[in-house]
Amino acid sequence: MEYKTRLAFLKFSFCCFFAFSLFSFQLKAQNLRVEPPNWWIGMKMNNIQLLVHAEEISTYEPKLNYDGVEITKIYTADSPNYLFIDLLISENASPGSIEIQFIKKGTKNLVFDFELQSREKPAEDFVGFNHTDAIYLITPDRFANGNTKNDVVNDMRETVVNRDNNYARHGGDIQGIINHLDYISDMGFTSIWSSPLLTNDMESSSYHGYAITDFYEVDPRFGSLKLYKELSQKASKKGIGLIMDMVANHCGSEHWWMHDLPFEDWLNFQDVYQSKKELPTSNHRRTTNQDPYASNLDSKIMHEGWFVPSMPDLNQKNPFLAKYIIQNSIWWVETLQLHGIRQDTYPYPNKEFMSNWAGAIMTEYPNFNIVGEEWSTDQLVVGYWQQGQNNNDGYNSNLRSVMDFPMQMKIVQALNEGNDGWGNGLVKIYETLANDFYYPRPKDVMIFPDNHDMDRIFTQLNQDIDKTKMAVGLILSLPRTPQIYYGTEILMENSDKPGDHGLIRTDFPGGWKGDFQNAFTRKNLSDNQLDFQRFLKTILNFRKTSEAILEGKMVHFAPFDGIYPIFRIHQNEVVAVFLNTNEESRSLDLSKFEELNVNGFQFQDVLENTSFNWTKQLQLKPGFSMFTTKE
């Protein structure tokens, strides 16, 4: 009995020792960070670079034994806690788990299982958004709360949900978007652009998503990577593509690497940051990208100055960071089967890097699309960034789509001012459209009435419904790629506090249990809200099937008497759009449009169940009108 007891005790002790050793190893392995965590076979980018972070990892030697995959180079950083490993993945490699061992004499090996996966579809099948799409922009925290259990994550820095505070988290999430895909589809939208859903573990105002603290993690208050994939898959089944909002310019000040920066030049003005001195902020002089007379000082402060102190400015001239950002973007495209990318603050990073970034993505996915944010109201500045532009400095952005801030501004100005004077009112829209000759592809330019960073269009137009209809209707009629911000369909506005971002990003009614109004079901909406929702839905769904709007040529006539006529023509389909800024109906002499050869055509009113023959006169009501020959 004594022998058996001792034997049992020894077995127990060994098991405890083994369990403790395994626990210690696993604990240490858990602190081993490898990014990207996986890759795919058959990629054009088959030479990838792993960022590895762990305590004293530079004193370890990485090794692997996997057919078709080899380590070609190993780099140390300024911090001893990083390794950068170049992997070459050959065409002969098979999917599987690659055990990467980190070996150090006198200590236990660290192990990471790097997944090599098969692609779900070939690169050519990643078809990006284009002018045939209508894009619905969503701020997820303010759209719908589909899962109240993830509202608060206790181990994160911001743990308060307060819908009465415009800058606190409100609880909207990925599940909330999934729950309302039918609504989005029925409205007539074919793409969703969501502001960033990656982890923003910041002390406050983390709801907006633009201060990313982990580029490979979905913020748990929004959901999980699995749920993000589910959103993409379910949206795709409904004919809705997913556009991801990416940020190459900066990260959040609580990003995990901010506590242990790999290189002395990982950030712009890193020495100033580390000495805790006052940081230079960007002068926002974006024209230094094109200006042949720009001083080096202005250019440096523009590109290297921090956007705000809570968003460290990344130095894309560091080759390891540059590769990290490019790989991260491709990883998300492949992981989520994306329909496109919207790149935040496009002209702020190093512009040579941005060309390489866009070029790498478009090389991998030749039918893909990326739109860059250049918040300039000058078409010369915006057009500089579109691929195919014949720039004097020879710069090629590789960027297919840009954002039409110039047209957005002119539409608002035109509708808010009278038509007295040679260049006032509707003429501003007419002349701005005349400048489309400058864009290599006007259809790829993204037009919008408003977005998450500017006053709601209903506010910009002084809460005038007719003007808002003219603005939105015009935008959906032009040879452009249109984007509509959530809530525009029910006249959401921020007139109480113009410029207030928290109020601009108001909760969408019905997205929370107990909401008095529900825009999804139309419960308790006002007559004006119901009317505008019907208006937008009608035009969006008509646009989806109108070859004249999607592919037709455009002919416009110089505004006269407060009226602006625009025609879209494709084969036998003609769409006639009129903006009438007068307060009363006007009798329109149709002989003005004789060159279009539509005399005698039967036209239907897209917004009302009426029709007329195009002969001599048309009684044109105030506001927006759209007629079509399409039956």
Side-chain angles (χ1 to χ4, degrees):
M1 294 291 294
E2 184 178 351
Y3 170 76
K4 290 182 179 180
T5 301
R6 286 181 178 178
L7 183 61
F9 176 77
L10 287 171
K11 287 181 177 178
F12 174 76
S13 299
F14 176 78
C15 289
C16 288
F17 174 78
F18 178 78
F20 176 77
S21 300
L22 182 61
F23 172 77
S24 298
F25 170 73
Q26 287 176 339
L27 184 63
K28 196 165 187 179
Q30 284 172 1
N31 292 329
L32 180 67
R33 179 186 288 270
V34 178
E35 295 177 345
N38 66 276
W39 206 250
W40 297 266
I41 56 172
M43 301 282 283
K44 293 176 185 175
M45 183 175 281
N46 64 347
N47 191 345
I48 64 168
Q49 187 173 90
L50 304 183
L51 178 155
V52 183
H53 182 255
E55 186 177 354
E56 297 293 329
I57 193 65
S58 62
T59 62
Y60 288 74
E61 181 183 5
K63 288 189 175 181
L64 61 84
N65 183 14
Y66 194 90
D67 288 343
V69 181
E70 62 175 314
I71 295 175
T72 58
K73 200 159 185 179
I74 302 166
Y75 307 86
T76 57
D78 294 329
S79 166
N81 302 324
Y82 287 88
L83 280 177
F84 291 84
I85 304 170
D86 285 353
L87 286 188
L88 180 62
I89 303 168
S90 77
E91 296 178 357
N92 301 323
S94 300
S97 181
I98 303 173
E99 184 180 86
I100 304 176
Q101 294 194 8
F102 295 87
I103 301 168
K104 182 178 180 181
K105 189 175 181 180
T107 188
K108 289 186 176 293
N109 297 342
L110 300 180
V111 177
F112 184 84
D113 291 326
F114 183 83
E115 294 295 325
L116 194 57
Q117 300 176 0
S118 297
R119 304 183 77 170
E120 293 184 34
K121 63 184 182 184
E124 293 74 17
D125 290 351
F126 285 78
V127 179
F129 66 90
N130 58 37
H131 63 280
T132 66
D133 285 293
I135 299 164
Y136 196 50
L137 168 58
I138 294 172
T139 299
D141 182 66
R142 307 298 168 85
F143 185 63
N145 190 348
N147 180 10
T148 57
K149 293 180 181 178
N150 64 12
D151 286 359
V152 173
V153 177
N154 289 323
D155 61 355
M156 302 192 80
R157 289 177 173 83
E158 187 173 19
T159 57
V160 175
V161 171
N162 181 3
R163 292 182 67 195
D164 293 327
N165 182 343
N166 288 334
Y167 289 88
R169 298 191 77 94
H170 291 190
D173 49 31
I174 296 173
Q175 189 62 55
I177 302 174
I178 292 173
N179 291 349
H180 298 292
L181 286 173
D182 283 341
Y183 169 82
I184 296 169
S185 176
D186 290 346
M187 280 296 298
F189 294 104
T190 59
S191 295
I192 294 171
W193 155 24
S194 151
S195 54
L197 289 159
L198 304 188
T199 296
N200 273 233
D201 193 10
M202 302 290 286
E203 293 285 350
S204 62
S205 298
S206 63
Y207 75 94
H208 58 69
Y210 290 96
I212 296 168
T213 57
D214 191 324
F215 283 99
Y216 280 95
E217 182 181 71
V218 175
D219 195 306
R221 292 163 295 190
F222 287 138
S224 63
L225 178 59
K226 180 181 178 182
L227 197 64
Y228 205 169
K229 290 180 179 179
E230 183 181 330
L231 168 62
S232 179
Q233 292 162 359
K234 289 187 173 179
S236 180
K237 288 179 180 178
K238 294 184 180 297
I240 299 172
L242 187 63
I243 300 169
M244 186 173 181
D245 201 331
M246 295 186 178
V247 187
N249 181 62
H250 52 263
C251 64
S253 57
E254 296 295 343
H255 191 287
W256 63 265
W257 61 39
M258 293 300 295
H259 306 287
D260 183 19
L261 291 164
F263 291 97
E264 293 178 358
D265 63 348
W266 196 252
L267 308 176
N268 289 315
F269 291 106
Q270 186 168 319
D271 55 339
V272 178
Y273 164 75
Q274 290 177 325
S275 64
K276 297 184 179 180
K277 296 178 182 177
E278 184 177 354
L279 283 159
T281 54
S282 177
N283 56 20
H284 305 287
R285 298 301 178 188
R286 297 181 297 276
T287 52
T288 57
N289 284 294
Q290 302 90 355
D291 183 359
Y293 313 118
S295 67
N296 291 334
L297 175 63
D298 286 345
S299 183
K300 179 179 176 66
I301 296 299
M302 159 60 200
H303 293 291
E304 299 180 17
W306 288 27
F307 209 73
V308 291
S310 61
M311 294 180 179
D313 207 69
L314 301 175
N315 176 23
Q316 299 85 13
K317 291 181 181 178
N318 180 298
F320 298 96
L321 178 61
K323 189 145 191 174
Y324 179 93
I325 295 171
I326 290 170
Q327 287 180 170
N328 178 258
S329 298
I330 291 175
W331 188 87
W332 281 111
V333 174
E334 195 76 23
T335 297
L336 295 176
Q337 307 287 290
L338 290 176
H339 189 50
I341 293 170
R342 179 264 185 181
Q343 180 60 251
D344 186 58
T345 57
Y346 202 88
Y348 284 83
N350 175 270
K351 73 178 186 180
E352 283 72 27
F353 163 76
M354 292 310 297
S355 175
N356 294 336
W357 172 82
I361 295 168
M362 297 306 296
T363 296
E364 191 71 56
Y365 308 101
N367 298 319
F368 198 63
N369 201 3
I370 306 168
V371 59
E373 178 198 30
E374 163 52 288
W375 195 328
S376 172
T377 55
D378 187 329
Q379 286 170 301
L380 293 176
V381 174
V382 173
Y384 174 88
W385 297 100
Q386 190 175 35
Q387 181 188 37
Q389 186 62 260
N390 186 23
N391 293 315
N392 285 339
D393 61 1
Y395 183 74
N396 179 16
S397 69
N398 293 307
L399 184 67
R400 187 170 290 174
S401 181
V402 290
M403 303 185 82
D404 204 349
F405 285 93
M407 182 62 72
Q408 193 279 339
M409 180 190 71
K410 292 297 184 182
I411 290 172
V412 171
Q413 287 181 353
L415 293 175
N416 274 336
E417 67 185 23
N419 292 292
D420 296 333
W422 178 255
N424 291 341
L426 295 172
V427 170
K428 288 187 173 178
I429 303 175
Y430 173 78
E431 292 185 342
T432 304
L433 281 169
N435 287 335
D436 271 10
F437 72 88
Y438 178 66
Y439 292 120
R441 294 173 312 283
K443 286 182 179 180
D444 286 339
V445 176
M446 184 179 288
I447 182 65
F448 48 93
D450 57 21
N451 64 25
H452 57 302
D453 288 325
M454 58 170 54
D455 287 335
R456 291 278 182 168
I457 187 61
F458 194 43
T459 295
Q460 292 185 55
L461 294 173
N462 303 310
Q463 296 176 282
D464 186 307
I465 294 174
D466 282 344
K467 289 180 180 178
T468 306
K469 283 184 176 181
M470 283 190 279
V472 175
L474 172 65
I475 282 167
L476 293 173
S477 307
L478 295 176
R480 290 288 193 277
T481 303
Q483 166 252 298
I484 303 292
Y485 194 29
Y486 82 99
T488 296
E489 67 266 40
I490 54 164
L491 299 172
M492 279 172 58
E493 46 91 19
N494 62 297
S495 302
D496 287 345
K497 292 182 180 179
D500 187 286
H501 282 191
L503 187 57
I504 289 166
R505 304 158 186 172
T506 300
D507 292 349
F508 194 69
W512 281 256
K513 187 177 180 180
D515 283 355
F516 173 72
Q517 287 187 316
N518 189 326
F520 299 114
T521 64
R522 299 166 178 80
K523 177 185 174 184
N524 291 330
L525 295 183
S526 70
D527 289 343
N528 286 336
Q529 288 176 313
L530 288 169
D531 175 67
F532 201 89
Q533 192 178 47
R534 282 191 296 266
F535 168 82
L536 184 55
K537 181 177 179 179
T538 300
I539 296 180
L540 282 169
N541 281 284
F542 171 74
R543 184 183 184 277
K544 285 170 70 173
T545 60
S546 171
E547 289 296 314
I549 290 181
L550 299 181
E551 306 297 346
K553 73 173 183 177
M554 177 172 143
V555 178
H556 64 163
F557 291 77
F560 57 92
D561 298 332
I563 296 171
Y564 183 23
I566 297 173
F567 296 84
R568 303 297 307 278
I569 305 163
H570 182 77
Q571 297 177 359
N572 292 326
E573 184 188 358
V574 179
V575 174
V577 171
F578 294 95
L579 306 187
N580 180 5
T581 58
N582 297 288
E583 294 183 0
E584 66 282 336
S585 296
R586 287 294 175 94
S587 180
L588 190 62
D589 179 4
L590 298 182
S591 65
K592 276 183 171 288
F593 314 112
E594 184 178 357
E595 67 186 77
L596 300 176
N597 296 317
V598 294
N599 195 44
F601 279 36
Q602 183 83 6
F603 276 82
Q604 296 175 322
D605 191 322
V606 172
L607 297 167
E608 297 178 4
N609 189 25
T610 59
S611 61
F612 69 95
N613 278 323
W614 191 281
T615 53
K616 295 181 179 180
Q617 299 287 329
L618 172 64
Q619 197 66 21
L620 192 64
K621 66 182 181 181
F624 179 83
S625 297
M626 176 182 279
F627 308 105
T628 178
T629 58
K630 181 180 177 182
E631 295 183 2

